[in-house]
Amino acid sequence: MTEKEKMLRGDNYDSRDLELINMYHKARKLLKQYNNLDSQFLEQREQILSELLEFKGTGVWIEAPFFCDYGENISIGENTFINVNCMFLDTNKIAIGKNGLIAPYVQIYTANHPLKASERIVRKGKESRYVTSSKPVSIGDNVWIGGNSVIFPGVIIGDNVTIGAGSVVAKDVPDNVLAYGNPCQIIREL
């Protein structure tokens, strides 16, 4: 089994594996092009996003700068808007539904590490490596995530949800609710 397969299964994997490093470098090249491209060059922006992402529906708009690990694990449904300075750490699948609004500085994490340092850090001679695993994140249709929110690995956010700004979403959020806070909590049904 490859390190990429382990990563996508949620098993511990070596993030310095050559295949993963090559995916990382490809993403960095495409992100550099995208983030430095004049906003008027819409065709080129579309082309870069189509090459970077696993899936991009029609009408998707991503403001630059945008950051991710690999890009190829990210799917974004039609008419979704992603604002500036978002960071999607896609060491596993990130699926965002249609008609989404993702505000500035939203961070979506799929990577995870053991809590205990003795389990997290592997020493090989003078070099240290970190034990890493990952869990997918799923965000439904018609979801608005407020600025500076953080979505943890393994979280599922349902359809028609509003997440208030500055939230730390560590648990699943069901359909049709307003939720916010640190930790994020359901405030009321919508």
Side-chain angles (χ1 to χ4, degrees):
M1 177 178 301
T2 68
E3 296 302 310
K4 180 180 178 181
E5 290 169 335
K6 290 179 191 176
M7 179 181 78
L8 294 172
R9 276 182 37 149
D11 296 341
N12 291 337
Y13 68 96
D14 180 1
S15 62
R16 298 294 187 253
D17 174 71
L18 183 59
E19 179 183 17
L20 298 177
I21 291 292
N22 287 336
M23 288 167 44
Y24 167 89
H25 289 309
K26 176 185 176 190
R28 289 299 166 282
K29 180 181 176 184
L30 292 168
L31 288 167
K32 182 177 181 181
Q33 291 171 7
Y34 188 81
N35 290 333
N36 290 311
L37 191 63
D38 189 296
S39 62
Q40 293 179 324
F41 296 127
L42 299 179
E43 263 186 55
Q44 291 94 327
R45 287 169 56 102
E46 288 291 313
Q47 183 179 15
I48 293 168
L49 287 178
S50 292
E51 189 175 345
L52 177 68
L53 304 175
E54 180 177 25
F55 173 79
K56 181 189 70 61
T58 58
V60 168
W61 188 279
I62 300 178
E63 286 288 338
F66 171 71
F67 306 97
C68 64
D69 273 338
Y70 305 121
E72 69 178 54
N73 296 320
I74 300 171
S75 297
I76 304 172
E78 64 187 40
N79 301 316
T80 291
F81 177 81
I82 297 171
N83 216 321
V84 298
N85 284 308
C86 286
M87 169 65 77
F88 296 178
L89 298 185
D90 64 312
T91 57
N92 208 310
K93 301 292 184 177
I94 295 174
I96 300 170
K98 63 184 178 182
N99 304 313
L101 292 172
I102 311 291
Y105 293 95
V106 168
Q107 301 166 61
I108 301 175
Y109 301 147
T110 62
N112 204 1
H113 308 281
L115 297 178
K116 292 177 68 175
S118 61
E119 297 172 5
R120 180 175 56 245
I121 302 166
V122 177
R123 299 196 197 298
K124 291 184 179 180
K126 294 181 179 181
E127 191 176 303
S128 291
R129 296 274 174 108
Y130 303 97
V131 174
T132 305
S133 63
S134 65
K135 295 179 183 175
V137 169
S138 177
I139 299 170
D141 295 337
N142 314 310
V143 173
W144 174 22
I145 299 177
N148 285 307
S149 292
V150 178
I151 314 298
F152 277 25
V155 165
I156 298 170
I157 297 174
D159 295 334
N160 310 308
V161 170
T162 297
I163 303 290
S167 294
V168 177
V169 186
K171 295 181 180 177
D172 292 354
V173 179
D175 295 347
N176 305 305
V177 297
L178 166 65
Y180 58 79
N182 181 3
C184 187
Q185 299 178 21
I186 297 169
I187 305 303
R188 64 181 168 93
E189 290 187 18
L190 296 174

